[in-house]
Amino acid sequence: MTTHGAGVLLKLGGELLEHAAGRRDVARAMHRLRDAGPLVVVHGGGREVDAEMAAKGIAKRAVDGLRLTDSDTLEVVVGVLAGRVNTRLVAAARVAGIPAVGLTAADAGVSPVRRADTYTAADGTQVDLGWVGKPVGTEAPVLVTRLCDAGFVPIIASIGADADGQLLNVNADTLAGHLAARLSVEQLLIAGGTAGVLDEHGDTITSITGGLLEQLVADGRASAGMVAKLIACREAHRGGVARVRIVSGKNTTNLDECPGTTVGGQ
Ligand SMILES: Nc1ncnc2c1ncn2[C@@H]1O[C@H](COP(=O)(O)OP(=O)(O)OP(=O)(O)O)[C@@H](O)[C@H]1O
Ligand SMILES: [Mg+2]
């Protein structure tokens, strides 16, 4: 990614990756995007984590889409995201002819991460998130850019490690927004299970500008995982990413044609 302002950071919601058919469609969509320029992928896997936690009898708690992560939860999150979900997606991408390389934010040259501060929720309450990390630092993610320059497609699971080697659970949208800004990509494309940000009638809000983002969070029209997504979009937009979109990635191999929401103009 030697050209400043080129390329796409694609964030894939876990809902798109649960089944082989979904992974195959996503891989084809990735192939199409990569034809147009460098591609970096960050993925979640929230629903598979939920299922694994339920199977192990671990209760789920989350605030604004951020998972409260105790030690047992962290074990599951690391195993599912950096293990099963990442490896399966890399394998599906390879089948589609994409030279994919699986990484986490704990790898050198991806993203420094430190334990998140106490979180102030949309409703104003203060929450200790546990073993949750936030991406920090402003230096370029040199491993990611070098892999892109060499023709590879990095596929990054949202697990990080702090300076002491403590593994931390990072929200995938948060990591995607941060990396998009640091890579100076042209577009942050967040693909998930809904046709972008929906209003109270279930219709897509096609564009979010001005103070609408804050209003949606404050009045509860955006909740749960959508709050983390919108905050990540704001970070990317403020960080200079020209095009920021939240789209549906379901049943498609062409993410450019998907219905969705543009955040921050254009
Ligand atoms: N206004 C809204 N429009 C659309 N979805 C919303 C809205 N408010 C809340 N949501 C919820 O946010 C969810 C998306 O966030 P979620 O974290 O669940 O998925 P994801 O980020 O795509 O996947 P992952 O966490 O695995 O990366 C939607 O499925 C929906 O339940
Ligand atoms: Mg999410």
Side-chain angles (χ1 to χ4, degrees):
M1 224 170 271
T2 42
T3 319
H4 193 82
V8 174
L9 187 315
L10 172 65
K11 189 272 174 165
L12 296 168
E15 197 176 332
L16 307 175
L17 308 175
E18 282 172 301
H19 306 294
R23 292 192 291 275
R24 187 195 56 216
D25 286 350
V26 155
R28 290 181 181 163
M30 284 162 54
H31 198 282
R32 184 183 278 267
L33 289 172
R34 186 170 170 269
D35 281 345
L39 176 67
V40 176
V41 178
V42 173
H43 66 82
R47 292 190 359 168
E48 285 192 60
V49 171
D50 290 351
E52 188 84 13
M53 286 176 63
K56 289 191 151 77
I58 304 168
K60 175 186 177 177
R61 291 197 299 148
V63 54
D64 297 348
L66 304 174
R67 188 183 300 274
L68 274 58
T69 307
D70 62 11
S71 298
D72 290 342
T73 302
L74 183 68
E75 290 296 304
V76 174
V77 168
V78 172
V80 171
L81 293 189
R84 188 164 70 216
V85 178
N86 187 269
T87 315
R88 279 184 178 157
L89 179 56
V90 169
R94 298 288 311 283
V95 170
I98 298 167
V101 176
L103 300 168
T104 75
D107 286 280
V110 178
S111 181
V113 165
R114 73 169 172 79
R115 191 166 170 174
D117 305 317
T118 304
Y119 179 76
T120 305
D123 68 5
T125 52
Q126 300 279 312
V127 186
D128 177 359
L129 296 170
W131 298 117
V132 167
K134 67 171 183 187
V136 289
T138 51
E139 66 274 33
V142 64
L143 177 67
V144 178
T145 51
R146 286 193 187 174
L147 285 170
C148 289
D149 289 346
F152 294 104
V153 174
I155 298 187
I156 304 167
S158 59
I159 303 296
D162 70 11
D164 298 321
Q166 169 67 49
L167 297 185
L168 294 168
N169 173 24
V170 185
N171 177 275
D173 291 304
T174 309
L175 180 64
H178 192 81
L179 274 178
R182 278 179 44 224
L183 287 163
S184 299
V185 290
E186 197 260 327
Q187 181 175 196
L188 169 63
L189 188 56
I190 297 185
T194 65
V197 186
L198 308 178
D199 66 15
E200 56 274 39
H201 309 293
D203 297 324
T204 300
I205 301 172
T206 53
S207 170
I208 296 179
T209 55
L212 180 57
L213 191 151
E214 286 73 16
Q215 277 172 34
L216 292 169
V217 173
D219 66 22
R221 276 179 289 170
S223 61
M226 191 50 71
V227 176
K229 230 176 263 305
L230 286 171
I231 292 170
C233 288
R234 186 174 62 193
E235 175 169 6
H237 179 65
R238 286 182 179 164
V241 179
R243 194 167 152 78
V244 178
R245 303 232 325 132
I246 302 173
V247 301
S248 164
K250 276 189 160 173
N251 305 318
T252 183
T253 57
N254 185 357
L255 292 169
D256 281 329
E257 282 185 354
C258 283
T261 305
T262 301
V263 180
Q266 286 212 10

PDB file of all heavy atoms in Angstrom, residues 11 13-14 44-46 172-173 192 194 196-198 221-223 225-226 229, ligand 1:
ATOM      1  N   LYS A  11     -14.302  -4.757   6.567  1.00  0.00           N
ATOM      2  CA  LYS A  11     -14.595  -5.414   7.840  1.00  0.00           C
ATOM      3  C   LYS A  11     -15.778  -6.353   7.612  1.00  0.00           C
ATOM      4  O   LYS A  11     -16.836  -5.952   7.113  1.00  0.00           O
ATOM      5  CB  LYS A  11     -14.922  -4.383   8.929  1.00  0.00           C
ATOM      6  CG  LYS A  11     -15.019  -4.996  10.329  1.00  0.00           C
ATOM      7  CD  LYS A  11     -16.377  -5.501  10.645  1.00  0.00           C
ATOM      8  CE  LYS A  11     -16.466  -6.231  11.969  1.00  0.00           C
ATOM      9  NZ  LYS A  11     -17.864  -6.397  12.402  1.00  0.00           N
ATOM     10  N   GLY A  13     -18.526  -8.842   9.310  1.00  0.00           N
ATOM     11  CA  GLY A  13     -19.214  -9.274  10.528  1.00  0.00           C
ATOM     12  C   GLY A  13     -19.282 -10.788  10.582  1.00  0.00           C
ATOM     13  O   GLY A  13     -19.397 -11.460   9.547  1.00  0.00           O
ATOM     14  N   GLY A  14     -19.234 -11.315  11.795  1.00  0.00           N
ATOM     15  CA  GLY A  14     -19.203 -12.759  11.969  1.00  0.00           C
ATOM     16  C   GLY A  14     -20.390 -13.479  11.365  1.00  0.00           C
ATOM     17  O   GLY A  14     -20.287 -14.636  10.945  1.00  0.00           O
ATOM     18  N   GLY A  44     -14.934 -10.081  12.443  1.00  0.00           N
ATOM     19  CA  GLY A  44     -15.461 -10.397  13.763  1.00  0.00           C
ATOM     20  C   GLY A  44     -15.810 -11.867  13.834  1.00  0.00           C
ATOM     21  O   GLY A  44     -15.263 -12.687  13.096  1.00  0.00           O
ATOM     22  N   GLY A  45     -16.737 -12.179  14.714  1.00  0.00           N
ATOM     23  CA  GLY A  45     -17.153 -13.571  14.896  1.00  0.00           C
ATOM     24  C   GLY A  45     -18.016 -13.687  16.131  1.00  0.00           C
ATOM     25  O   GLY A  45     -18.047 -14.723  16.801  1.00  0.00           O
ATOM     26  N   GLY A  46     -18.748 -12.587  16.392  1.00  0.00           N
ATOM     27  CA  GLY A  46     -19.499 -12.486  17.635  1.00  0.00           C
ATOM     28  C   GLY A  46     -20.458 -13.635  17.873  1.00  0.00           C
ATOM     29  O   GLY A  46     -20.554 -14.159  18.980  1.00  0.00           O
ATOM     30  N   ALA A 172     -14.073  -5.787  16.672  1.00  0.00           N
ATOM     31  CA  ALA A 172     -13.556  -5.837  15.294  1.00  0.00           C
ATOM     32  C   ALA A 172     -13.813  -4.532  14.531  1.00  0.00           C
ATOM     33  O   ALA A 172     -12.993  -4.120  13.710  1.00  0.00           O
ATOM     34  CB  ALA A 172     -14.173  -7.021  14.554  1.00  0.00           C
ATOM     35  N   ASP A 173     -14.944  -3.879  14.802  1.00  0.00           N
ATOM     36  CA  ASP A 173     -15.198  -2.593  14.131  1.00  0.00           C
ATOM     37  C   ASP A 173     -14.210  -1.534  14.613  1.00  0.00           C
ATOM     38  O   ASP A 173     -13.728  -0.714  13.826  1.00  0.00           O
ATOM     39  CB  ASP A 173     -16.631  -2.121  14.403  1.00  0.00           C
ATOM     40  CG  ASP A 173     -17.653  -3.006  13.721  1.00  0.00           C
ATOM     41  OD1 ASP A 173     -17.568  -3.179  12.498  1.00  0.00           O
ATOM     42  OD2 ASP A 173     -18.512  -3.546  14.429  1.00  0.00           O
ATOM     43  N   GLY A 192     -22.031  -6.375   7.049  1.00  0.00           N
ATOM     44  CA  GLY A 192     -22.637  -7.140   8.141  1.00  0.00           C
ATOM     45  C   GLY A 192     -23.971  -7.721   7.724  1.00  0.00           C
ATOM     46  O   GLY A 192     -24.247  -7.900   6.530  1.00  0.00           O
ATOM     47  N   THR A 194     -27.108  -6.471   8.330  1.00  0.00           N
ATOM     48  CA  THR A 194     -28.216  -5.558   8.043  1.00  0.00           C
ATOM     49  C   THR A 194     -27.845  -4.653   6.867  1.00  0.00           C
ATOM     50  O   THR A 194     -26.666  -4.456   6.591  1.00  0.00           O
ATOM     51  CB  THR A 194     -28.553  -4.653   9.248  1.00  0.00           C
ATOM     52  OG1 THR A 194     -27.435  -3.775   9.507  1.00  0.00           O
ATOM     53  CG2 THR A 194     -28.845  -5.466  10.505  1.00  0.00           C
ATOM     54  N   GLY A 196     -27.078  -1.819   6.240  1.00  0.00           N
ATOM     55  CA  GLY A 196     -26.556  -0.572   6.807  1.00  0.00           C
ATOM     56  C   GLY A 196     -27.227  -0.231   8.120  1.00  0.00           C
ATOM     57  O   GLY A 196     -27.696  -1.123   8.851  1.00  0.00           O
ATOM     58  N   VAL A 197     -27.293   1.067   8.417  1.00  0.00           N
ATOM     59  CA  VAL A 197     -27.931   1.543   9.644  1.00  0.00           C
ATOM     60  C   VAL A 197     -29.421   1.714   9.342  1.00  0.00           C
ATOM     61  O   VAL A 197     -29.788   2.389   8.381  1.00  0.00           O
ATOM     62  CB  VAL A 197     -27.330   2.888  10.104  1.00  0.00           C
ATOM     63  CG1 VAL A 197     -27.897   3.284  11.461  1.00  0.00           C
ATOM     64  CG2 VAL A 197     -25.804   2.805  10.161  1.00  0.00           C
ATOM     65  N   LEU A 198     -30.249   1.084  10.164  1.00  0.00           N
ATOM     66  CA  LEU A 198     -31.691   1.119   9.924  1.00  0.00           C
ATOM     67  C   LEU A 198     -32.352   2.157  10.834  1.00  0.00           C
ATOM     68  O   LEU A 198     -31.907   2.375  11.970  1.00  0.00           O
ATOM     69  CB  LEU A 198     -32.292  -0.260  10.186  1.00  0.00           C
ATOM     70  CG  LEU A 198     -31.607  -1.426   9.452  1.00  0.00           C
ATOM     71  CD1 LEU A 198     -32.262  -2.757   9.840  1.00  0.00           C
ATOM     72  CD2 LEU A 198     -31.629  -1.223   7.940  1.00  0.00           C
ATOM     73  N   ARG A 221     -31.724   4.801  18.646  1.00  0.00           N
ATOM     74  CA  ARG A 221     -32.045   4.193  17.343  1.00  0.00           C
ATOM     75  C   ARG A 221     -30.901   3.286  16.890  1.00  0.00           C
ATOM     76  O   ARG A 221     -31.112   2.299  16.209  1.00  0.00           O
ATOM     77  CB  ARG A 221     -32.317   5.285  16.293  1.00  0.00           C
ATOM     78  CG  ARG A 221     -33.730   5.805  16.314  1.00  0.00           C
ATOM     79  CD  ARG A 221     -33.939   6.880  15.276  1.00  0.00           C
ATOM     80  NE  ARG A 221     -33.243   8.121  15.652  1.00  0.00           N
ATOM     81  CZ  ARG A 221     -33.094   9.159  14.837  1.00  0.00           C
ATOM     82  NH1 ARG A 221     -33.537   9.102  13.595  1.00  0.00           N
ATOM     83  NH2 ARG A 221     -32.481  10.248  15.263  1.00  0.00           N
ATOM     84  N   ALA A 222     -29.683   3.649  17.264  1.00  0.00           N
ATOM     85  CA  ALA A 222     -28.545   2.740  17.078  1.00  0.00           C
ATOM     86  C   ALA A 222     -28.175   2.200  18.456  1.00  0.00           C
ATOM     87  O   ALA A 222     -28.014   2.960  19.407  1.00  0.00           O
ATOM     88  CB  ALA A 222     -27.365   3.479  16.477  1.00  0.00           C
ATOM     89  N   SER A 223     -28.081   0.877  18.561  1.00  0.00           N
ATOM     90  CA  SER A 223     -27.763   0.272  19.855  1.00  0.00           C
ATOM     91  C   SER A 223     -26.813  -0.900  19.630  1.00  0.00           C
ATOM     92  O   SER A 223     -26.437  -1.213  18.488  1.00  0.00           O
ATOM     93  CB  SER A 223     -29.048  -0.194  20.544  1.00  0.00           C
ATOM     94  OG  SER A 223     -29.693  -1.169  19.744  1.00  0.00           O
ATOM     95  N   GLY A 225     -24.247  -3.613  18.825  1.00  0.00           N
ATOM     96  CA  GLY A 225     -23.095  -3.606  17.929  1.00  0.00           C
ATOM     97  C   GLY A 225     -23.041  -2.412  16.996  1.00  0.00           C
ATOM     98  O   GLY A 225     -21.967  -2.043  16.504  1.00  0.00           O
ATOM     99  N   MET A 226     -24.174  -1.794  16.727  1.00  0.00           N
ATOM    100  CA  MET A 226     -24.190  -0.647  15.826  1.00  0.00           C
ATOM    101  C   MET A 226     -23.512   0.572  16.445  1.00  0.00           C
ATOM    102  O   MET A 226     -22.994   1.435  15.723  1.00  0.00           O
ATOM    103  CB  MET A 226     -25.635  -0.330  15.409  1.00  0.00           C
ATOM    104  CG  MET A 226     -25.762   0.661  14.278  1.00  0.00           C
ATOM    105  SD  MET A 226     -24.736   0.297  12.841  1.00  0.00           S
ATOM    106  CE  MET A 226     -25.562  -1.132  12.156  1.00  0.00           C
ATOM    107  N   LYS A 229     -19.876   0.222  15.814  1.00  0.00           N
ATOM    108  CA  LYS A 229     -19.671   0.412  14.372  1.00  0.00           C
ATOM    109  C   LYS A 229     -19.650   1.898  14.019  1.00  0.00           C
ATOM    110  O   LYS A 229     -18.775   2.362  13.279  1.00  0.00           O
ATOM    111  CB  LYS A 229     -20.836  -0.265  13.650  1.00  0.00           C
ATOM    112  CG  LYS A 229     -20.446  -1.196  12.546  1.00  0.00           C
ATOM    113  CD  LYS A 229     -21.675  -1.880  11.985  1.00  0.00           C
ATOM    114  CE  LYS A 229     -21.902  -3.233  12.576  1.00  0.00           C
ATOM    115  NZ  LYS A 229     -20.776  -4.148  12.456  1.00  0.00           N
TER     116      LYS A 229
HETATM  117  N1  LIG B   1     -30.057   1.159  13.879  1.00  0.00           N
HETATM  118  C1  LIG B   1     -29.563  -0.077  13.682  1.00  0.00           C
HETATM  119  N2  LIG B   1     -29.408  -0.552  12.418  1.00  0.00           N
HETATM  120  C2  LIG B   1     -28.922  -1.774  12.195  1.00  0.00           C
HETATM  121  N3  LIG B   1     -28.531  -2.618  13.178  1.00  0.00           N
HETATM  122  C3  LIG B   1     -28.636  -2.208  14.449  1.00  0.00           C
HETATM  123  C4  LIG B   1     -29.148  -0.922  14.762  1.00  0.00           C
HETATM  124  N4  LIG B   1     -29.158  -0.779  16.113  1.00  0.00           N
HETATM  125  C5  LIG B   1     -28.685  -1.929  16.614  1.00  0.00           C
HETATM  126  N5  LIG B   1     -28.355  -2.794  15.647  1.00  0.00           N
HETATM  127  C6  LIG B   1     -27.809  -4.131  15.869  1.00  0.00           C
HETATM  128  O1  LIG B   1     -26.417  -4.133  15.569  1.00  0.00           O
HETATM  129  C7  LIG B   1     -26.095  -5.417  15.021  1.00  0.00           C
HETATM  130  C8  LIG B   1     -24.752  -5.370  14.308  1.00  0.00           C
HETATM  131  O2  LIG B   1     -23.680  -5.423  15.229  1.00  0.00           O
HETATM  132  P1  LIG B   1     -23.049  -6.817  15.667  1.00  0.00           P
HETATM  133  O3  LIG B   1     -21.889  -6.518  16.527  1.00  0.00           O
HETATM  134  O4  LIG B   1     -24.098  -7.711  16.206  1.00  0.00           O
HETATM  135  O5  LIG B   1     -22.585  -7.472  14.290  1.00  0.00           O
HETATM  136  P2  LIG B   1     -21.209  -7.303  13.500  1.00  0.00           P
HETATM  137  O6  LIG B   1     -20.394  -6.220  14.106  1.00  0.00           O
HETATM  138  O7  LIG B   1     -21.553  -7.200  12.058  1.00  0.00           O
HETATM  139  O8  LIG B   1     -20.513  -8.691  13.719  1.00  0.00           O
HETATM  140  P3  LIG B   1     -19.209  -9.026  14.639  1.00  0.00           P
HETATM  141  O9  LIG B   1     -19.466  -8.414  15.975  1.00  0.00           O
HETATM  142  O10 LIG B   1     -19.177 -10.516  14.632  1.00  0.00           O
HETATM  143  O11 LIG B   1     -18.061  -8.395  13.942  1.00  0.00           O
HETATM  144  C9  LIG B   1     -27.270  -5.712  14.146  1.00  0.00           C
HETATM  145  O12 LIG B   1     -27.395  -7.077  13.838  1.00  0.00           O
HETATM  146  C10 LIG B   1     -28.448  -5.204  14.995  1.00  0.00           C
HETATM  147  O13 LIG B   1     -28.901  -6.214  15.864  1.00  0.00           O
END
